[in-house]
Amino acid sequence: MTSATRSGVPSATLHAAVEVEGLTHRYGRTEALRDVSLTVPRGSVYALLGPNGAGKSTLLQAAVGLLAPTAGSIRVLGTPVEQLTPAHRTRIGYVAESQRLPDDLTLAQYERWLAPLYPAWDHALADTLRARFDLDPSRRIRALSRGQRMQAALLCALAPRPELLFMDEPFAGLDAAVKDDLVRGVLELAGSDGWTVVIASHDLVELEPLVDHVGFLRDGRLQFSESMDTVRARYRWVEIGTGTREARLPSPLPPHWVRSEVAGTRVRVLLRQDDEATTQAEVRAQYPDATRITFEEVSLADVFIGLAREGRGQTSSQGVT
Ligand code: ATP
């Protein structure tokens, strides 16, 4: 339960940029989200991950009020989403791959139209981004390529200096150099300024250096919502010098061994673990002659692959809770 402050505002709300409770959404017979509850801490960069069709875009659209959920509630910056006023909305940004832009305007015209609507519009940031993205402000938006449209959408979402920014596949269509610029320049700036950013993306390599919280959705259900450190600690790569001439994998494979490779006398395993001591003992039981057991941190992409495989029941019937 959330405790109340003297002003009567629940204390969790003060620290949360987004609070989702019991969110369910159905499109006709398709249940896109089922009973999802999560909290995005203020000032965090929160990655919403999950396989295709997991419900990420639906959740973001509900959080910005683009769709009314079938059940449940969402508060953004402390206010129920359905009660957001235009003034609240100037503090909240949204950028999505599927976003519509005014095709008949040039980028300069669009910026001139938007800027007065946002009290915190940052002209210097808009100039920096335009130069960084090499966007021609005199071109009509209709004439921009897919990647350039995404860049224009990002410029228009970042220049208002939102306190809370939702991004749905923000790297889609961007070339590798622009992705890198975006991550290093813009999003790191957002992090240092204390903005809260919620990103749904499959670009895990780009996300990795930015993210401090992760929520993982599968089939519309939230598997977990945790700090990146907690998530990373749950998985390890373990390399085993088996001490035999020809290494073999145990049969059957332990259910929490998500990926395994054999190379000569060595076995390399991506596994889900409680702690390293338990893993060590378990590996020893499998390989009593082991000459070496070493642990290695996993990447966000490794974690994603692990979770996706477990979800498909390839290695385990257990869910991650
Ligand atoms: P992706 O990673 O592929 O973009 P996602 O995690 O963002 O997927 P959603 O787009 O939220 O997933 O879709 C969740 C489920 O809802 C999917 O089964 C999808 O087919 C369905 N869905 C999404 N939008 C609609 C719609 N407008 N009408 C009907 N079904 C929809």
Side-chain angles (χ1 to χ4, degrees):
M1 257 187 62
T2 5
S3 59
T5 60
R6 256 184 265 165
S7 63
V9 178
S11 56
T13 299
L14 297 175
H15 305 292
V18 185
E19 291 169 278
V20 175
E21 239 183 275
L23 195 71
T24 293
H25 190 70
R26 282 187 213 101
Y27 298 100
R29 265 188 271 163
T30 306
E31 192 173 55
L33 294 171
R34 156 133 6 145
D35 197 22
V36 171
S37 299
L38 60 85
T39 298
V40 177
R42 283 195 195 228
S44 64
V45 177
Y46 187 105
L48 196 56
L49 306 182
N52 289 126
K56 304 177 296 295
S57 298
T58 304
L59 196 152
L60 293 192
Q61 286 169 20
V64 291
L66 283 175
L67 63 80
T70 310
S73 65
I74 307 179
R75 294 172 82 90
V76 278
L77 300 176
T79 304
V81 67
E82 64 282 3
Q83 290 172 23
L84 290 175
T85 62
H88 286 121
R89 289 196 175 277
T90 63
R91 297 157 56 201
I92 301 168
Y94 173 68
V95 58
E97 193 190 0
S98 55
Q99 189 163 350
R100 290 222 187 125
L101 294 171
D103 278 342
D104 289 336
L105 298 187
T106 64
L107 179 58
Q109 286 169 332
Y110 188 36
E111 284 183 50
R112 272 203 299 280
W113 181 74
L114 286 174
L117 304 177
Y118 292 93
W121 185 274
D122 186 335
H123 289 278
L125 180 60
D127 292 344
T128 305
L129 291 175
R130 222 180 300 101
R132 194 181 285 242
F133 293 154
D134 201 16
L135 284 172
D136 176 353
S138 66
R139 289 189 81 189
R140 284 196 199 287
I141 289 173
R142 113 154 18 92
L144 301 181
S145 72
R146 176 163 161 249
Q148 289 167 335
R149 284 176 73 88
M150 197 65 200
Q151 291 171 325
L154 284 164
L155 184 159
C156 295
L158 291 161
R161 289 247 172 211
E163 272 170 63
L164 172 59
L165 177 61
F166 293 97
M167 306 174 106
D168 193 354
E169 290 294 346
F171 308 112
L174 302 185
D175 69 50
V178 172
K179 274 188 201 176
D180 194 58
D181 270 354
L182 182 71
V183 168
R184 279 176 214 287
V186 184
L187 293 177
E188 280 177 6
L189 173 77
S192 65
D193 266 15
W195 302 354
T196 307
V197 184
V198 183
I199 311 182
S201 174
H202 296 288
D203 287 298
L204 303 178
V205 174
E206 281 72 21
L207 287 184
E208 177 115 42
L210 297 171
V211 165
D212 42 41
H213 278 73
V214 180
F216 190 90
L217 281 170
R218 182 164 47 221
D219 296 334
R221 292 160 206 250
L222 186 74
Q223 306 298 303
F224 63 78
S225 174
E226 284 169 348
S227 77
M228 187 65 199
D229 290 344
T230 307
V231 175
R232 265 208 204 99
R234 192 182 291 132
Y235 286 86
R236 280 288 177 274
W237 275 110
V238 181
E239 189 164 308
I240 309 153
T242 59
T244 51
R245 249 196 234 167
E246 214 178 303
R248 281 177 203 279
L249 290 173
S251 177
L253 276 178
H256 52 288
W257 287 27
V258 179
R259 270 165 93 178
S260 29
E261 302 153 7
V262 178
T265 60
R266 286 174 298 129
V267 167
R268 201 168 131 79
V269 186
L270 173 67
L271 51 75
R272 181 162 47 78
Q273 68 168 15
D274 292 328
D275 57 76
E276 285 190 2
T278 311
T279 303
Q280 184 105 21
E282 181 212 324
V283 169
R284 280 249 165 250
Q286 295 284 1
Y287 295 100
D289 301 325
T291 51
R292 193 168 50 90
I293 302 173
T294 50
F295 289 79
E296 218 181 278
E297 292 240 320
V298 297
S299 68
L300 189 56
D302 291 330
V303 171
F304 184 93
I305 292 168
L307 287 163
R309 290 200 172 167
E310 285 184 293
R312 291 202 300 264
Q314 265 175 262
T315 56
S316 166
S317 56
Q318 287 174 290
V320 177
T321 51

